[in-house]
Amino acid sequence: DQQVKQNSPSLSVQEGRISILNCDYTNSMFDYFLWYKKYPAEGPTFLISISSIKDKNEDGRFTVFLNKSAKHLSLHIVPSQPGDSAVYFCAVLTGGGNKLTFGTGTQLKVEL
Amino acid sequence: DTAVSQTPKYLVTQMGNDKSIKCEQNLGHDTMYWYKQDSKKFLKIMFSYNNKELIINETVPNRFSPKSPDKAHLNLHINSLELGDSAVYFCASSHGLAEETQYFGPGTRLLVL
């Protein structure tokens, strides 16, 4: 019973272009969403978040969009850089705000 | 200085053995967590502790016993290891409960033979 789904296991993008990573969730009551980034042999690191009262949050090259009616969020990276190559996890804060529930991740590869 | 550290980094052991993984954070955080990333790369919470008190136990088999001797440490002891316990185990910490920004350790890669 996956509450958070990332349907694309991998994505390949050319350097300088836009990367769009997608995430769907099942529960309309979820109210805080996050993206984490993970390099091989390292733990995930927090990237950006958004509250359900917003539909967009921007931080430098990273923008997260939230579509509550579709129960969908996306992460845009522009311009994409080779150092962005990593696994990106979408997550929601659940359990009364006490735990993170993660999606299965999308492996992003930014090619030169 | 590493914010969240775990030892060992790699652990290879036989079925039936008992093993421990240690976690320490030097961030002054009150809340610590254990996550398991299985072979399908699915990252799932196992436990969380706040000020040494167990907050979340996600229906983990009781062969897994977390222990928090103080706020800076959360260790994971696993009894009677099974093949299905092979995974990467991540420790994490945050300032407090309902904190979206969690800081993760580098992971412990456990292989049960």
Side-chain angles (χ1 to χ4, degrees), chain A residues 61-78:
Chain A
R61 296 185 299 113
F62 302 91
T63 304
V64 55
F65 295 92
L66 176 62
N67 181 335
K68 290 185 286 291
S69 60
K71 288 184 278 187
H72 177 85
L73 70 157
S74 60
L75 175 68
H76 292 209
I77 307 173
V78 55

Side-chain angles (χ1 to χ4, degrees), chain A residues 36 44 92-93 98-102, chain B residues 6 32-38 42-48 56 74 76 87-93 99-100 102-104 107-108:
Chain A
Y36 274 73
V92 298
L93 206 55
N98 290 334
K99 66 176 184 177
L100 288 175
T101 298
F102 286 88
Chain B
Q6 296 179 227
M32 295 185 72
Y33 311 82
W34 276 108
Y35 287 85
K36 178 181 179 181
Q37 187 177 35
D38 60 24
F42 194 36
L43 188 62
K44 193 170 179 184
I45 191 166
M46 299 172 70
F47 300 101
S48 76
I56 291 173
L74 181 62
L76 184 64
V88 183
Y89 292 84
F90 289 99
C91 177
S93 73
E99 241 333 293
E100 68 277 10
Q102 295 182 15
Y103 296 80
F104 283 78
T108 295

Side-chain angles (χ1 to χ4, degrees), chain B:
Chain B
D1 265 352
T2 306
V4 182
S5 58
Q6 296 179 227
T7 52
K9 202 165 183 178
Y10 299 94
L11 187 51
V12 181
T13 188
Q14 299 285 334
M15 262 175 46
N17 283 351
D18 303 338
K19 289 293 177 186
S20 291
I21 307 172
K22 295 187 176 182
C23 178
E24 177 181 1
Q25 54 94 3
N26 62 8
L27 298 167
H29 288 167
D30 287 339
T31 309
M32 295 185 72
Y33 311 82
W34 276 108
Y35 287 85
K36 178 181 179 181
Q37 187 177 35
D38 60 24
S39 57
K40 294 180 182 176
K41 305 300 181 187
F42 194 36
L43 188 62
K44 193 170 179 184
I45 191 166
M46 299 172 70
F47 300 101
S48 76
Y49 269 72
N50 187 62
N51 278 321
K52 304 194 298 173
E53 180 186 344
L54 178 67
I55 302 298
I56 291 173
N57 179 343
E58 282 291 296
T59 59
V60 176
N62 56 16
R63 297 183 296 104
F64 290 79
S65 51
K67 283 197 170 43
S68 182
D70 54 58
K71 283 194 328 182
H73 295 85
L74 181 62
N75 304 322
L76 184 64
H77 189 75
I78 316 170
N79 288 328
S80 303
L81 277 156
E82 300 177 357
L83 294 176
D85 297 332
S86 295
V88 183
Y89 292 84
F90 289 99
C91 177
S93 73
S94 62
H95 279 291
L97 292 172
E99 241 333 293
E100 68 277 10
T101 307
Q102 295 182 15
Y103 296 80
F104 283 78
T108 295
R109 284 141 191 84
L110 171 64
L111 178 60
V112 182
L113 302 173

